[in-house]
């Protein structure tokens, strides 16, 4: 397999605090890869650097051979990278349906169409995506009034609407009940498989991580201290010392 | 389908307005002409306020540019209306595009202040460029085509132009573009991550608003047979802003109602007392304290309560 996403020597600091320290990383096409690490390890910053939300101080990010550094998020999405957010990031006052519909409109580049009625576009595509993530019954509800877990599902539907080849999910099950977590992970796994997506995700629930990840990278104080198969990572002494050991259940 | 219901309702309103001159009151015809012009002006501003979530404090600039340009082209250069009016509207749109290019880099109060600054520049040009604009004497004696020089003819002309303008804005606001603008307003970060260039969208909205504001201004100038520097002053921007807020920004009809109510209120108040600014202050107070979503919001709340009981 070839590298879909290559990151080399990535640095990012905020007012002296180094959030990403010389990170090099390769993501293979088609793999399901987890980034784990304690709170504040720099996982979200890492995602923000890849997706253009933040600009790295130093280093390179290339996706399918294209340099992403300096590109704004909207350009990176169009290259085939979509993401969800750890903290809910939807249009809370729009309906669930509209949340997804707008993403489809944008994906098709129809945001510049001043004549076609927006609400008549992509009705089927929107419906399909809502069914895929199990939100069809809530289609006409105001998005901000959904339960937390359902808003997370909506995040996923919005990300999928951009028809990415690489999907980045930042803590897709954070704040969910154990049952919701199980359902979400099962549906993510099915979708990734059915669509042939490459998945990069962060997660704090170790059972989820070791359940679906094919490879795992461990981030600690902005540094990747280990990267490899779940077994290799589980048995890595450094990882056990700084991270897994603290949890004691792996 | 709601769209069809809206279409029929709008057709009835336009038809009733078309019958107005039959009542024989010149006063009513003139008043309605002005209300129609302000309806279009307020609606154009709401493309910025309601659809991008930014407050423009300088919308009078495009109103004035449309008004002055149309007046000057008709009178100084003797252009026919069929050329002068579109040229004035395009000019207002072009200036809005240039100004908007800078303004949309900012948001919130900084956006508002920059729109105000550009509007004051426009006012300054109207004031100082005396040989072209007439300076503080105003630009008077606009040459009007025969067909619309009578007040009833002008009323029908305004009715047609405003109806077309409102219809065009309706289509734009409900288009894929309009829906995407709402997404940008609601969460511009998320909109960026679905592949929308949010700044370009807001720029386009600003240009659309300026274009239709220019049309309203051109109609205004011809109605009054003159344009005055006050029409470019910040108080004019404030007035149309209050119209929009009074009607309600998160509804297409809101600014239409706001413009009509505020204008009529002003006219009637002026008949009884010279203290219109005081009344305006009270209205503003009421909007801020109890009507944050405008008259439309009030109607919706009353309806919702009625539905429950």
């Amino acid at each position: 397999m070839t590298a879909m996403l290559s990151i080399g020597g990535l640095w990012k600091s905020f007012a002296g605090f180094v959030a990403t320290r010389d990170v090099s990383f390769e993501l293979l096409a088609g793999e399901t890869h987890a980034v784990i690490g304690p709170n504040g390890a720099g996982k979200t910053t890492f995602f923000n650097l890849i997706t253009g939300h933040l600009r790295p101080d130093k280093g390179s990010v290339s996706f399918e051979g294209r340099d992403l550094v300096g590109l704004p998020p909207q350009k990176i999405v169009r290259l085939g990278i979509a993401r969800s957010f750890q903290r809910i990031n939807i249009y809370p006052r729009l309906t669930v349906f509209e949340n997804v519909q707008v993403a489809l409109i944008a994906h098709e580049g129809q945001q510049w169409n001043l004549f076609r009625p927006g609400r008549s576009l992509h009705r089927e595509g929107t419906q399909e995506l809502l069914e895929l993530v199990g939100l069809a019954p809530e289609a006409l509800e105001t998005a901000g009034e959904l339960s937390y877990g359902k808003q997370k599902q909506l995040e996923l539907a919005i990300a999928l609407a951009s028809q990415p080849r690489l999907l980045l999910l930042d803590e897709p099950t954070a704040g969910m009940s154990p049952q919701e977590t199980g359902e979400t992970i099962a549906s993510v796994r099915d979708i990734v498989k059915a669509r042939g997506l490459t998945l990069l995700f962060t997660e704090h629930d170790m059972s989820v991580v070791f359940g679906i990840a094919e490879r795992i990278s461990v981030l600690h104080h902005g540094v990747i201290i280990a990267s490899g198969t779940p077994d290799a990572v589980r048995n890595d002494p450094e990882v056990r010392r700084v991270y897994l050991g603290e949890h004691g259940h792996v | 389908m709601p769209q069809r219901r809206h279409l029929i309702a709008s057709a009835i309103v336009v038809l009733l307005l078309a019958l107005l001159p039959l009542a024989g009151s010149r006063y009513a015809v003139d008043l309605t002409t002005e209300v129609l012009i302000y309806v279009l002006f307020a609606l154009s501003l709401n493309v910025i306020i309601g659809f991008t979530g930014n407050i423009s404090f300088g919308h009078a600039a495009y109103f004035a540019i449309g008004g002055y340009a149309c007046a000057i082209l008709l009178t100084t250069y003797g252009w026919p209306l069929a050329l002068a009016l579109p040229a004035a509207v395009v000019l207002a749109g072009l200036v809005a595009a240039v100004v908007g290019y800078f303004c949309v880099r900012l948001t919130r109060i900084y956006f508002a202040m920059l729109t105000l600054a550009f509007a004051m520049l426009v006012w300054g040009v109207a004031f100082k460029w005396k040989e072209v604009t007439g300076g503080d004497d105003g630009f008077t004696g606009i040459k009007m085509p025969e067909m619309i020089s009578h007040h009833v003819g002008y009323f029908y002309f305004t009715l047609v132009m405003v109806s077309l303008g409102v219809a065009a804005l309706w289509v734009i606001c409900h288009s894929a573009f309009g829906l995407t603008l709402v997404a940008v307003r609601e969460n511009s970060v998320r909109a960026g991550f679905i592949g929308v260039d949010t700044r370009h969208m807001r720029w386009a909205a600003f240009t659309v608003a300026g274009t239709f504001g220019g049309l309203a201004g051109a109609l205004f100038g011809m109605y009054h047979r003159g344009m005055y520097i006050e029409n470019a002053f910040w108080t004019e921007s404030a007035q149309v802003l209050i119209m929009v807020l009074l009607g309600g920004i998160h509804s297409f009809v809101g600014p239409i109602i706001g413009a009509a109510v505020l204008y009529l209120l002003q006219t009637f108040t002026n008949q009884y007392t010279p203290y219109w600014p005081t009344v305006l202050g009270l209205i503003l107070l009421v909007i801020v304290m109890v009507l944050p979503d405008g008259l439309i919001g009030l109607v919706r709340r009353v309806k919702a309560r009625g539905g429950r009981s």
Side-chain angles (χ1 to χ4, degrees):
Chain A
M1 283 197 286
T2 53
M4 181 182 232
L5 184 73
S6 305
I7 289 166
L10 204 62
W11 286 79
K12 180 72 190 177
S13 54
F14 302 98
F17 171 76
V18 182
T20 307
R21 188 186 295 271
D22 196 20
V23 165
S24 294
F25 175 84
E26 287 218 324
L27 183 69
L28 306 178
E31 75 171 326
T32 294
H33 195 126
V35 176
I36 61 172
N39 284 336
K43 304 186 292 284
T44 296
T45 301
F46 185 55
F47 270 27
N48 286 341
L49 290 169
I50 295 171
T51 54
H53 197 46
L54 290 174
R55 199 193 168 105
D57 299 334
K58 230 171 29 183
S60 64
V61 179
S62 87
F63 175 68
E64 295 177 338
R66 281 201 59 168
D67 185 15
L68 299 187
V69 175
L71 291 185
Q74 67 266 23
K75 293 238 167 81
I76 292 176
V77 175
R78 298 207 177 277
L79 294 175
I81 303 179
R83 71 173 289 184
S84 74
F85 292 79
Q86 181 181 357
R87 292 171 62 182
I88 301 283
N89 200 345
I90 56 175
Y91 315 103
R93 291 193 292 185
L94 302 189
T95 66
V96 171
F97 195 87
E98 287 163 343
N99 265 267
V100 177
Q101 191 173 33
V102 166
L104 285 169
I105 286 173
H107 176 68
E108 296 294 332
Q110 289 164 318
Q111 73 269 30
W112 290 110
N113 193 323
L114 273 67
F115 308 104
R116 293 275 296 277
R119 287 191 169 73
S120 70
L121 294 169
H122 305 295
R123 299 198 68 85
E124 279 177 31
T126 304
Q127 192 62 33
E128 274 170 29
L129 278 168
L130 290 179
E131 276 164 18
L132 194 64
V133 300
L135 284 178
E138 288 88 359
L140 297 179
E141 285 181 27
T142 304
E145 288 168 8
L146 292 180
S147 71
Y148 188 84
K150 286 188 169 161
Q151 292 191 19
K152 278 274 180 190
Q153 290 294 82
L154 182 56
E155 281 261 355
L156 179 61
I158 294 171
L160 289 172
S162 302
Q163 315 233 318
R165 290 189 298 286
L166 169 57
L167 182 62
L168 273 66
L169 302 180
D170 196 354
E171 303 238 353
T173 67
M176 286 188 179
S177 68
Q179 193 202 343
E180 282 177 325
T181 299
E183 287 167 9
T184 301
I185 287 308
S187 92
V188 166
R189 186 167 38 195
D190 291 348
I191 291 165
V192 164
K193 196 173 280 177
R195 303 194 163 203
L197 301 181
T198 306
L199 175 65
L200 182 65
F201 71 106
T202 68
E203 182 57 65
H204 63 278
D205 184 328
M206 287 306 123
S207 65
V208 168
V209 171
F210 286 93
I212 72 168
E214 292 156 7
R215 286 209 305 154
I216 298 172
S217 295
V218 184
L219 208 54
H220 184 61
H221 291 324
V223 179
I224 290 190
I225 57 170
S227 196
T229 62
D231 278 340
V233 166
R234 188 178 298 154
N235 298 320
D236 187 288
E238 178 74 357
V239 174
R240 294 198 75 89
R241 191 178 66 77
V242 304
Y243 185 45
L244 295 177
E246 297 166 12
H247 291 247
H249 57 260
V250 179
Chain B
M1 231 169 91
Q3 261 159 315
R4 196 166 160 190
R5 209 183 63 214
H6 291 154
L7 213 60
I8 293 170
S10 329
I12 291 172
V13 170
V14 172
L15 212 71
L16 285 176
L17 284 171
L19 295 175
L20 182 73
L22 297 181
S25 158
R26 162 138 204 192
Y27 178 68
V29 169
D30 282 352
L31 193 61
T32 311
T33 307
E34 275 209 276
V35 167
L36 284 171
I37 291 168
Y38 275 104
V39 160
L40 182 61
F41 189 25
L43 213 47
S44 72
L45 176 60
N46 200 39
V47 176
I48 298 176
I49 297 182
F51 283 81
T52 75
N54 290 289
I55 302 273
S56 167
F57 216 81
H59 203 49
Y62 314 101
F63 187 78
I65 289 168
Y68 271 110
C70 187
I72 291 165
L73 290 173
L74 280 173
T75 314
T76 313
Y77 295 95
W79 285 24
L81 181 68
L83 283 180
L85 182 61
V89 171
V90 168
L91 183 70
L94 283 176
V95 175
V98 173
V99 171
Y101 176 81
F102 298 101
C103 292
V104 299
R105 285 159 191 273
L106 306 173
T107 53
R108 295 179 305 232
I109 187 72
Y110 308 102
F111 173 88
M113 287 299 110
L114 198 54
T115 56
L116 175 62
F118 277 112
M120 290 313 284
L121 279 180
V122 171
W123 177 85
V125 170
F127 180 50
K128 282 288 176 195
W129 204 8
K130 211 168 164 69
E131 57 271 34
V132 175
T133 63
D136 55 359
D137 296 332
F139 188 93
T140 50
I142 297 179
K143 275 192 216 144
M144 295 281 285
E146 199 61 37
M147 256 178 68
I148 55 168
S149 57
H150 188 256
H151 72 277
V152 173
Y154 197 74
F155 168 76
Y156 281 117
F157 177 68
T158 305
L159 182 60
V160 169
M161 295 319 278
V162 170
S163 301
L164 289 176
V166 171
L169 283 171
W170 198 92
V171 168
I172 291 171
C173 289
H174 292 83
S175 67
F177 171 75
L179 188 58
T180 313
L181 271 183
V182 170
V184 172
R185 175 194 80 201
E186 289 296 311
N187 185 345
S188 73
V189 171
R190 180 77 250 191
F193 278 100
I194 60 172
V196 173
D197 190 323
T198 54
R199 192 181 284 176
H200 283 172
M201 293 291 292
R202 291 169 51 228
W203 186 21
F206 197 96
T207 307
V208 167
T211 305
F212 285 90
L215 176 58
L219 293 171
F220 178 90
M222 287 189 286
Y223 170 76
H224 284 281
R225 301 290 202 276
M227 281 301 287
Y228 304 90
I229 51 170
E230 292 80 52
N231 303 133
F233 204 54
W234 66 267
T235 46
E236 189 79 19
S237 298
Q239 190 190 19
V240 69
L241 178 60
I242 295 170
M243 285 174 172
V244 170
L245 295 177
L246 176 64
I249 59 173
H250 290 317
S251 132
F252 185 78
V253 221
I256 298 179
I257 293 170
V261 168
L262 196 78
Y263 192 80
L264 294 175
L265 221 56
Q266 179 184 11
T267 306
F268 295 133
T269 310
N270 280 337
Q271 288 173 0
Y272 298 104
T273 149
Y275 295 113
W276 166 245
T278 313
V279 178
L280 188 63
L282 289 174
I283 294 173
L284 204 55
L285 213 73
V286 170
I287 298 173
V288 174
M289 308 281 280
V290 292
L291 289 177
D293 39 7
L295 291 170
I296 282 288
L298 181 70
V299 170
R300 280 183 187 156
R301 266 181 283 161
V302 169
K303 260 191 191 167
R305 196 168 299 170
R308 245 179 279 143
S309 63

